[in-house]
Amino acid sequence: MSISIRNLNKRYPNGNHALKDISMEIPTGMFGLLGPNGAGKSTLMRILVALMEPTTGEVDIFGYDLKKERKEVRKILGYLPQDFRFFAKYKTYEFLDYAARLSGMNNRKQRREAVDRMLESVGLFDVKERYAGKLSGGMKRRLGIAQALIHHPKLIIVDEPTTGLDPEERIRFRNLLGEISKQDVAIILSTHIVGDISSSCNCMALMNRGEVAFYGAPQDMLKAAEGKVWKVRIGGDDLPEIDKKYPVISTIPAGSGWEVQVIAEEMEGYNAEPYPPNLEHAYVYFMEKRLNRWTND
């Protein structure tokens, strides 16, 4: 495994326990870190990129002990944070050249060639003279991943990379990461968007309130939700009762009543029928299970 995390905890001075005994193995390729805002994903990312120290626990990254060999870890990682900022005074190629210098690429000719190759690979070569601050949202994200990749890192961490992107740019960005993941690198994709995980990751972890609610393949998470999703047809007067008793996924008008999809371990009455789950259903199932909100357990 490229990354080994053992009994990782992060507790802030105010008592907030942001990470609670996190243990997992992250292989090379694309790894999805899924969960709502506040689940602890960003805290974990900041620890992995050596911007924050854990309270307790151990992390091994490609053979380096994160606590003892932080400088060595930083040399082999690329990071695209959620709130990535550009220098408005730099043109696109100038910004990437600056990032390359920071990563230790000191030969000017080699650095210029590397910058041009990277701009070409992320589809920004034609706008290399444009100021970085004037790029579209999707282009800024691509420039962000370019600066994370310019020094050929072994670990790449991207935090909420597709937030705010239109569907076309989201697909393009995921495809770009997918191509990179075919190399001998580990890419951690942290997101709250289920579609980002289902279309690109072979292994994943679902986090909620600082804990791991699920770890494994997306297909296994989906399989665990089989038989837990139900479709019911009810009258309008029954809707408040259903909403109170079960986690409701969707509500669609149907004739004089409603067709409702709910999560439940078992369900009787309401003419309930099992409904084949998708990954979003499985996401809700594990989140609700962790919150112990079942009415019939």
Side-chain angles (χ1 to χ4, degrees):
M1 290 291 174
S2 60
I3 302 168
S4 179
I5 301 171
R6 298 178 293 276
N7 305 117
L8 197 67
N9 285 272
K10 180 62 181 180
R11 189 187 296 272
Y12 291 101
N14 64 5
N16 177 30
H17 202 168
L19 296 178
K20 305 173 185 177
D21 291 317
I22 300 295
S23 294
M24 69 176 80
E25 305 289 329
I26 300 177
T28 54
M30 188 89 79
F31 181 87
L33 191 63
L34 181 64
N37 293 330
K41 303 190 307 299
S42 291
T43 299
L44 179 57
M45 296 299 96
R46 290 178 64 83
I47 289 174
L48 292 179
V49 299
L51 292 176
M52 178 185 293
E53 292 191 9
T55 305
T56 59
E58 299 177 353
V59 180
D60 182 275
I61 299 178
F62 283 98
Y64 293 112
D65 184 323
L66 180 59
K67 185 178 295 185
K68 300 176 181 178
E69 301 171 289
R70 299 171 74 84
K71 288 184 179 179
E72 289 79 2
V73 169
R74 284 182 173 137
K75 290 178 181 178
I76 64 168
L77 69 82
Y79 181 40
L80 174 57
Q82 183 178 0
D83 58 349
F84 187 74
R85 294 288 186 267
F86 297 92
F87 295 98
K89 66 178 181 179
Y90 284 148
K91 294 181 179 180
T92 296
Y93 82 91
E94 291 174 331
F95 174 81
L96 194 54
D97 182 77
Y98 174 73
R101 293 202 307 272
L102 288 181
S103 70
M105 299 178 67
N106 297 319
N107 185 293
R108 185 176 181 181
K109 181 176 183 295
Q110 292 178 355
R111 191 173 65 244
R112 183 181 301 169
E113 291 173 352
V115 167
D116 283 348
R117 283 197 304 270
M118 186 57 64
L119 288 173
E120 189 73 49
S121 69
V122 299
L124 293 177
F125 189 82
D126 291 342
V127 294
K128 61 184 295 185
E129 296 288 341
R130 188 180 302 179
Y131 283 96
K134 299 295 184 180
L135 298 175
S136 68
M139 289 180 175
K140 287 179 179 178
R141 280 300 186 188
R142 280 184 265 149
L143 181 56
I145 198 63
Q147 64 81 31
L149 295 174
I150 191 67
H151 59 298
H152 303 291
K154 293 181 70 65
L155 170 61
I156 302 160
I157 296 177
V158 289
D159 192 359
E160 300 287 355
T162 65
T163 300
L165 300 185
D166 61 42
E168 183 177 351
E169 276 290 356
R170 184 177 295 135
I171 293 171
R172 179 171 185 167
F173 193 87
R174 289 201 303 250
N175 289 342
L176 174 61
L177 292 179
E179 286 299 314
I180 297 166
S181 70
K182 295 177 182 178
Q183 306 168 24
D184 187 25
V185 299
I187 300 178
I188 300 178
L189 172 61
S190 174
T191 182
H192 68 280
I193 301 174
V194 177
D196 287 346
I197 301 295
S198 61
S199 62
S200 55
C201 299
N202 295 322
C203 189
M204 62 165 289
L206 171 61
M207 292 187 65
N208 187 29
R209 297 188 175 184
E211 299 180 272
V212 175
F214 173 84
Y215 170 86
Q219 296 89 340
D220 292 336
M221 183 168 139
L222 182 61
K223 187 179 297 183
E226 291 179 356
K228 316 299 182 185
V229 183
W230 304 83
K231 180 176 71 175
V232 300
R233 294 181 182 274
I234 58 174
D237 294 339
D238 294 322
L239 188 57
E241 180 183 356
I242 286 282
D243 191 42
K244 185 178 180 180
K245 291 178 65 177
Y246 303 102
V248 173
I249 298 173
S250 68
T251 305
I252 304 172
S256 59
W258 300 89
E259 180 180 292
V260 183
Q261 293 179 17
V262 303
I263 295 287
E265 292 283 2
E266 296 179 355
M267 194 168 188
E268 296 181 358
Y270 303 104
N271 295 317
E273 301 176 5
Y275 190 84
N278 57 35
L279 202 62
E280 290 189 357
H281 295 140
Y283 171 85
V284 175
Y285 168 68
F286 275 96
M287 296 295 285
E288 296 292 342
K289 186 175 183 180
R290 179 52 64 96
L291 292 174
N292 295 318
R293 289 182 56 184
W294 307 110
T295 60
N296 50 2
D297 282 357

